[in-house]
Amino acid sequence: MAKKKSKCYSGIGGQAVLEGVMMKNKDKYAVAVRRPDGGISVEVDNYQGVLSGNKIKEIPFIRGIFNFVDSLVLGMKCLNYSASFYEEEDGKTDKSDGAGDKFMIGLVTCFSVVLAVGIFIVLPYYLASALNGYLRNPSLVAIIEGLVRILIFILYVSGISIMKDIRRLYRYHGAEHKCINCIERGRPLTVDNAMRSSRLHKRCGTSFLFFVFFVSIILFFFIRVENPVWRVGLRILLMPVVAGISYEIIRLAGRSDSLFVRILSAPGMAIQRMSTKEPDREMVEVAVASVEAVFDWKTYLKETFGYEFDQSLDWEEQGD
């Protein structure tokens, strides 16, 4: 008899890449890419991240900072790998992963962080500061700054979807979520079951970024200085703190299905409707290949939900 559980944390996560999906389980990750010839290539490797094995990475509110950095570096590496298939199609066949490639990944990652800080931290501050001549209430200006930050984020997520490649990336993002939801709902990981699963997930990076902006509103509301340069500087310096707090919230959201957590997750889930789109079966096939390369979902179903997968039965019949 199957255990009556509605949803259980699996520990796997991932991201969409160019024509593919990356899935990570502990230190092991896999990138599955739909090649131009229609086949699926899967690369499996280990990524331990910065300060590997250091106990500091296990400390609450600090571990989130390192997890964020690791996700940026690994994400850029996986995007490079997926793009290499289409560079090859265009006549560029160099797939080397030497010191030059690692340097470029680091450079692009740093540039992306600087650009994000400028758009989502510095720009909202100066836009809100323009209201100082009209509003004499610093608390209200601080709240408006936070709301402007969230608005810019929503416009950014929605605006880039105009690009054809980004729309396809959003569909692979949906395929990634569908596979994780399929497993965590206790369903065998088949293309049919995944297609029936939700494309929204509480542990999504989109939700994490929403929490980053939401937490920053609260933090910046209470921490104030008079000097404008210091105000901007403090916002940038406190972002690791904000990321650490946000990580703990998203971690809680992934492990709880309580009413409070569902309410807390609702805004991020709403934004996910823009950052994920419905995938087709071929996209889900790629996501399934990525999951199966790093995660034994059959053992997970047996240990967590109490039944063994029988390919001859529909998932609704499993465990009866």
Side-chain angles (χ1 to χ4, degrees):
M1 188 71 169
K3 300 173 185 176
K4 300 299 182 182
K5 296 184 180 181
S6 60
K7 188 174 183 180
C8 290
Y9 174 74
S10 65
I12 60 172
Q15 72 168 63
V17 296
L18 182 63
E19 294 299 325
V21 172
M22 181 274 286
M23 288 289 186
K24 188 172 184 290
N25 179 29
K26 297 179 181 176
D27 291 336
K28 192 176 182 181
Y29 75 92
V31 191
V33 179
R34 179 73 71 179
R35 300 191 306 268
D37 64 8
I40 300 175
S41 285
V42 181
E43 179 179 83
V44 181
D45 203 349
N46 288 323
Y47 179 78
Q48 296 179 331
V50 297
L51 296 182
S52 174
N54 196 309
K55 293 293 184 182
I56 195 172
K57 294 185 72 173
E58 301 174 11
I59 301 174
F61 299 102
I62 294 179
R63 59 191 173 192
I65 301 169
F66 295 103
N67 272 278
F68 179 63
V69 173
D70 286 342
S71 67
L72 285 176
V73 175
L74 179 59
M76 194 62 64
K77 180 179 180 180
C78 293
L79 280 169
N80 262 13
Y81 172 77
S82 63
S84 68
F85 288 91
Y86 294 86
E87 290 172 356
E88 181 177 310
E89 186 185 29
D90 294 335
K92 302 174 185 177
T93 57
D94 182 13
K95 287 190 181 182
S96 63
D97 190 27
D101 287 335
K102 292 178 180 178
F103 174 75
M104 285 304 299
I105 290 173
L107 191 64
V108 172
T109 300
C110 291
F111 176 75
S112 300
V113 170
V114 171
L115 187 63
V117 167
I119 294 174
F120 299 115
I121 304 300
V122 179
L123 179 60
Y125 166 76
Y126 281 108
L127 290 176
S129 296
L131 298 174
N132 282 329
Y134 306 95
L135 299 174
R136 299 298 180 184
N137 189 331
S139 298
L140 182 58
V141 173
I143 293 172
I144 291 173
E145 178 191 340
L147 295 176
V148 169
R149 187 171 291 116
I150 292 175
L151 178 61
I152 290 175
F153 175 59
I154 292 172
L155 291 175
Y156 171 80
V157 171
S158 177
I160 61 175
S161 66
I162 297 172
M163 302 166 63
K164 181 181 177 181
D165 288 343
I166 297 298
R167 286 201 303 272
R168 286 192 64 81
L169 194 73
Y170 282 177
R171 295 180 73 187
Y172 276 105
H173 191 192
E176 173 221 331
H177 284 185
K178 280 177 174 287
C179 285
I180 297 175
N181 277 321
C182 178
I183 294 167
E184 294 186 340
R185 291 291 181 185
R187 304 168 182 172
L189 185 60
T190 65
V191 173
D192 287 335
N193 288 342
M195 289 293 289
R196 290 197 289 262
S197 300
S198 172
R199 74 174 198 265
L200 310 179
H201 198 284
K202 288 186 292 186
R203 286 192 286 116
C204 174
T206 304
S207 292
F208 169 77
L209 289 175
F210 170 79
F211 283 128
V212 165
F213 299 136
F214 179 74
V215 170
S216 71
I217 294 177
I218 300 172
L219 200 63
F220 299 160
F221 181 86
F222 291 103
I223 299 177
R224 302 177 189 174
V225 292
E226 292 298 323
N227 188 296
V229 175
W230 270 107
R231 282 203 293 268
V232 174
L234 275 176
R235 278 156 172 74
I236 296 173
L237 291 174
L238 286 172
M239 287 315 297
V241 177
V242 173
I245 296 171
S246 302
Y247 176 80
E248 298 304 320
I249 297 174
I250 207 79
R251 183 181 169 90
L252 171 66
R255 288 164 169 75
S256 173
D257 204 31
S258 67
L259 177 61
F260 171 74
V261 168
R262 291 201 300 271
I263 292 172
L264 193 65
S265 301
M269 298 283 275
I271 298 174
Q272 281 183 52
R273 294 188 179 278
M274 292 184 286
S275 68
T276 63
K277 301 297 179 186
E278 284 295 327
D280 58 30
R281 293 179 64 86
E282 291 189 345
M283 292 173 173
V284 172
E285 284 176 2
V286 174
V288 169
S290 184
V291 173
E292 291 187 328
V294 295
F295 186 75
D296 185 353
W297 58 265
K298 293 178 183 178
T299 299
Y300 168 79
L301 291 183
K302 182 178 179 180
E303 293 178 350
T304 308
F305 293 91
Y307 66 85
E308 294 190 31
F309 173 57
D310 185 344
Q311 198 166 4
S312 66
L313 300 176
D314 292 332
W315 77 264
E316 291 91 345
E317 301 176 82
Q318 305 290 325
D320 289 347

